[in-house]
Amino acid sequence: MLRYLAFRPVPAARAGARVGAARRHSTESRASTFGNQGQLPRLPIPTLEATAARYLKSLRPLLSGAEYAQSERAVASFIGSDGLGPVLQQRLHKADKQAAASWLEDIWLNKAYLEWREPNFINANWAALLADSADAPVAAAPRGQTSGAQLARAARMTALLLDASDAINAQALAADTQRGAALCMNQFKWQFGTTRIARAQRDELVHQWPATARHILVMYRDCAVKVPVYGAGGRRASLAQLAAQLDLAVRRVDERLAQEPAPAPVARLTAGNRDNWAQARELLAQDAANREALATADTALFGVCLDVDLDPRDAHDAERSLAEFTHGDGGANRWFDKAVQLVVLNSGRLG
């Protein structure tokens, strides 16, 4: 059953979307995707002297002779026996002993991403223009309308992503190696059912592995819709059923918007400053209906964005299409907190 995520002002009257019971997966496989994780070497910690030398080398092209000499003196003081450098180096070794796999992983994740307060889109989320379909050539479509090519391609790519999610759940992907050495596969656990939750000062990254959600999140005309892709018994929807579900989601939104004013575009808040979104999300979550709707978005396997507000004259413009995939119309029709979003234009282009 499709559920239209209607976020309501606080206080709200009735519930929006419900999260269904999770299906179950076997994670046993002879071709274990994560079977080599125990063989991975730990990330080494450079010596303090090596770090200082690399830092100075990075400064040389940027500074004058006098400035560089001043930096050399500052670095020598920092790494000296009475400097702060040796103390910080000891702390780094202590952090390495406490880390499960790498001393850098949590530092990089928090400092480079989760503590960054600027908007996700453009600043953190990347976008790509995928190859056009040979079976459905790019074609202009009337502005504001979906097209058969759009829904067909969205259904096909949804099926392929579900294939990937199932393979990761079953550990059926072959573990990557390079020159005979094992490579880390842990990132595959963070592809599906993963969401960045806006929090004050530092966001929270939550995920499911195995990814047991039974639904995806479809964005259409700035509206969020929960679309089931697995049945209660874990049976996956066929390609034809996926296409029918997407078509039904579109028709339900069109019918609803024809009967009543458009709901507040809550999804656009995911494109804003993270502290602002965190504050707004906390207010929304005071209402039980909103909490359920947020949980539906958070737990979805991935997002599928059906864009229709496009100038037909831009249908064959690859640069304009990439701009649409990157940020859309100022962040419209996206849920930027999802780890994976398919964006399908009504021209048939995909990113």
Side-chain angles (χ1 to χ4, degrees), residues 3 5 16-20 215-217 225-227 290-301 338:
R3 297 278 184 174
L5 273 62
R18 280 185 193 172
V19 179
H215 67 282
I216 61 174
L217 184 72
V225 183
K226 174 186 177 182
V227 176
N290 289 338
R291 286 197 300 273
E292 288 192 73
L294 288 167
T296 296
D298 295 341
T299 58
L301 290 170
K338 295 305 296 179

Side-chain angles (χ1 to χ4, degrees), residues 86-294:
V87 176
L88 297 179
Q89 188 78 353
Q90 288 181 354
R91 292 179 185 176
L92 185 57
H93 280 280
K94 182 178 179 180
D96 181 52
K97 292 179 180 179
Q98 297 173 344
S102 167
W103 58 268
L104 180 59
E105 187 171 6
D106 286 344
I107 294 174
W108 179 253
L109 178 64
N110 288 325
K111 298 301 180 182
Y113 291 99
L114 299 184
E115 293 179 14
W116 181 249
R117 300 291 83 194
E118 294 306 309
N120 277 354
F121 87 119
I122 299 178
N123 294 300
N125 292 15
W126 59 268
L129 171 62
L130 303 185
D132 294 333
S133 172
D135 299 327
V138 172
R143 190 167 200 152
Q145 297 182 21
T146 57
S147 68
Q150 178 184 29
L151 295 180
R153 196 158 195 214
R156 178 60 178 161
M157 289 304 299
T158 295
L160 292 174
L161 281 184
L162 294 177
D163 285 343
S165 179
D166 288 344
I168 294 169
N169 283 343
Q171 299 194 51
L173 293 181
D176 289 338
T177 61
Q178 186 177 54
R179 297 180 181 177
L183 295 179
C184 182
M185 299 291 287
N186 190 59
Q187 66 270 21
F188 286 94
K189 294 181 179 179
W190 294 81
Q191 302 305 304
F192 300 101
T194 298
T195 293
R196 178 170 169 168
I197 307 291
R199 305 291 189 204
Q201 298 184 334
R202 184 178 73 185
D203 290 353
E204 178 185 3
L205 196 62
V206 297
H207 78 128
Q208 312 160 14
W209 189 80
T212 55
R214 296 189 292 128
H215 67 282
I216 61 174
L217 184 72
V218 171
M219 295 297 304
Y220 171 62
R221 295 179 66 183
D222 248 355
C223 297
V225 183
K226 174 186 177 182
V227 176
V229 290
Y230 290 90
R235 186 178 181 85
R236 207 178 91 184
S238 66
L239 181 59
Q241 289 170 331
L242 289 173
Q245 286 284 74
L246 293 174
D247 180 67
L248 180 58
V250 165
R251 287 190 283 113
R252 289 278 177 84
V253 171
D254 285 341
E255 291 168 1
R256 184 153 187 166
L257 294 183
Q259 296 171 2
E260 58 187 65
V266 171
R268 295 199 184 202
L269 294 172
T270 67
N273 175 276
R274 301 305 295 176
D275 280 339
N276 292 344
W277 171 215
Q279 183 178 17
R281 183 183 168 111
E282 187 175 340
L283 291 173
L284 285 168
Q286 293 177 11
D287 174 74
N290 289 338
R291 286 197 300 273
E292 288 192 73
L294 288 167

